[in-house]
Amino acid sequence: MPSADATSLTAEDLQRLSAFLYRQTGMLFGESKRYYIERRLSDRLAATGCPDFAAYFALLRSDADERETLINAFTINETYFYREEHQLACLGRSLLPDLIAGRRPGEKIRIWSAPCSTGEEAYSIAIWLLENWRLVDAYNIEIIGSDIDTRVLEAARLGLYGGRALARLPPNLLESYFEPAGPGFWQIIEDLRESVSFGQANLVDAASLADQGTFDVIFCRNVLIYFDDESRLVAARNLFDRLAPGGYLCLGHTESMGRIGGGFTLRRFDDATVYQRPGAP
């Protein structure tokens, strides 16, 4: 067990670790998050057997698995089913009808949830479309969830959820798309789990996004608020590049591209305000 002194960071060490996390994730950590940082650092010192920060930081630079584990420890994964449902309504009532106007039945429509956390958003999109979009079977809809945190991706693939994640899901949908999985837990039915795919990606690392291809709709909600202006600009540029011409970006209700720009066009629909990449779908 590391001593209190081992995890009590100097201002210089705190800055070094914060800079490392910023380069890796685009998220800002600093003096105001000292307790949060030191608590997680203490866990990693105990797990790795490193006696102090200097030894642990040296390990970070040489061990890719430990870098991944530390990033996992610092990512924020607060979500639930049918969060900001008005955007799901906008997807079915406005965005998809616009996107399919020039397409034939059977053509592919790609929807990306990034970051996807433990999968609630990606599965919510699938459930909402199955329940509410009458053309859901007429097109080849591909839903992909991505996150920087490998732990949450494993949880997303498993599709096992407790009452907190499911609190806002209508009871009839819980019955239709989930199976009881022990006291207080339900698991997404296998057919639905197999219809959504998950993989690792980093919004501030263009190279990690290149293999994703382009998408018709991107849900990127409640993550840019943790970035500074520079990281938001990088993420906005990467999101723009991952959208097909005419594609749509859905942000969280507290987020805006207003100060970021990035070439998006603001679009206001009855259910939600979203951003569009110019060009014909």
Side-chain angles (χ1 to χ4, degrees):
M1 179 71 116
S3 67
D5 289 342
T7 55
S8 181
L9 296 173
T10 67
E12 181 182 359
D13 288 342
L14 181 67
Q15 193 279 329
R16 290 175 70 196
L17 184 57
S18 297
F20 168 83
L21 292 167
Y22 179 77
R23 290 193 301 271
Q24 298 294 319
T25 70
M27 299 173 66
L28 283 174
F29 298 93
E31 189 62 46
S32 64
K33 300 288 180 67
R34 174 179 283 275
Y35 174 74
Y36 178 86
I37 293 170
E38 290 183 343
R39 186 172 60 180
R40 280 153 180 76
L41 176 61
S42 178
D43 292 341
R44 297 315 308 151
L45 289 177
T48 59
C50 291
D52 52 31
F53 173 75
Y56 181 71
F57 201 71
L59 176 66
L60 277 182
R61 289 180 298 195
S62 63
D63 190 328
D65 289 340
E66 183 57 29
R67 288 197 297 272
E68 180 178 290
T69 300
L70 184 71
I71 290 168
N72 289 350
F74 277 89
T75 50
I76 298 167
N77 301 297
E78 173 65 28
T79 187
Y80 48 84
F81 279 85
Y82 271 35
R83 187 177 189 178
E84 298 185 37
E85 186 181 353
H86 63 281
Q87 287 190 339
L88 300 178
C90 185
L91 173 68
R93 295 169 183 166
S94 301
L95 307 188
L96 290 176
D98 180 49
L99 289 166
I100 67 171
R103 304 189 192 190
R104 297 177 179 177
E107 291 191 29
K108 183 175 289 188
I109 297 171
R110 303 190 77 223
I111 302 174
W112 189 27
S113 169
C116 66
S117 187
T118 44
E120 288 91 334
E121 181 176 83
Y123 289 129
S124 290
I125 294 167
I127 292 171
W128 203 95
L129 292 179
L130 287 167
E131 289 291 314
N132 297 282
W133 195 45
R134 63 181 181 84
L135 296 177
V136 66
D137 292 323
Y139 291 86
N140 180 11
I141 299 174
E142 182 179 9
I143 300 174
I144 295 175
S146 299
D147 204 285
I148 193 174
D149 187 336
T150 54
R151 295 173 310 168
V152 298
L153 292 172
E154 292 174 4
R157 295 184 186 103
L158 182 61
L160 185 67
Y161 300 100
R164 183 175 179 180
L166 298 162
R168 298 195 182 188
L169 192 70
N172 65 304
L173 301 185
L174 182 62
E175 183 177 343
S176 296
Y177 296 103
F178 294 78
E179 297 173 331
F185 287 92
W186 293 263
Q187 186 173 31
I188 293 273
I189 59 174
E190 185 176 0
D191 284 351
L192 195 55
R193 293 201 309 274
E194 292 179 349
S195 72
V196 180
S197 59
F198 296 95
Q200 190 176 23
N202 184 343
L203 290 178
V204 295
D205 179 10
S208 79
L209 303 179
D211 291 341
Q212 303 285 340
T214 59
F215 295 88
D216 299 294
V217 182
I218 297 175
F219 285 80
C220 182
R221 306 191 293 185
N222 307 303
V223 64
L224 297 182
I225 55 176
Y226 298 105
F227 292 0
D228 67 355
D229 288 345
E230 182 178 350
S231 293
R232 287 191 194 101
L233 184 60
V234 171
R237 186 182 304 118
N238 290 339
L239 290 167
F240 185 89
D241 289 343
R242 299 276 60 81
L243 270 179
Y248 290 100
L249 171 66
C250 300
L251 299 179
H253 73 279
T254 63
E255 299 170 310
S256 170
M257 284 292 176
R259 291 189 305 152
I260 304 173
F264 293 97
T265 299
L266 182 68
R267 296 289 307 275
R268 290 187 172 89
F269 296 99
D270 289 342
D271 295 297
T273 296
V274 300
Y275 298 86
Q276 186 175 31
R277 175 170 175 164

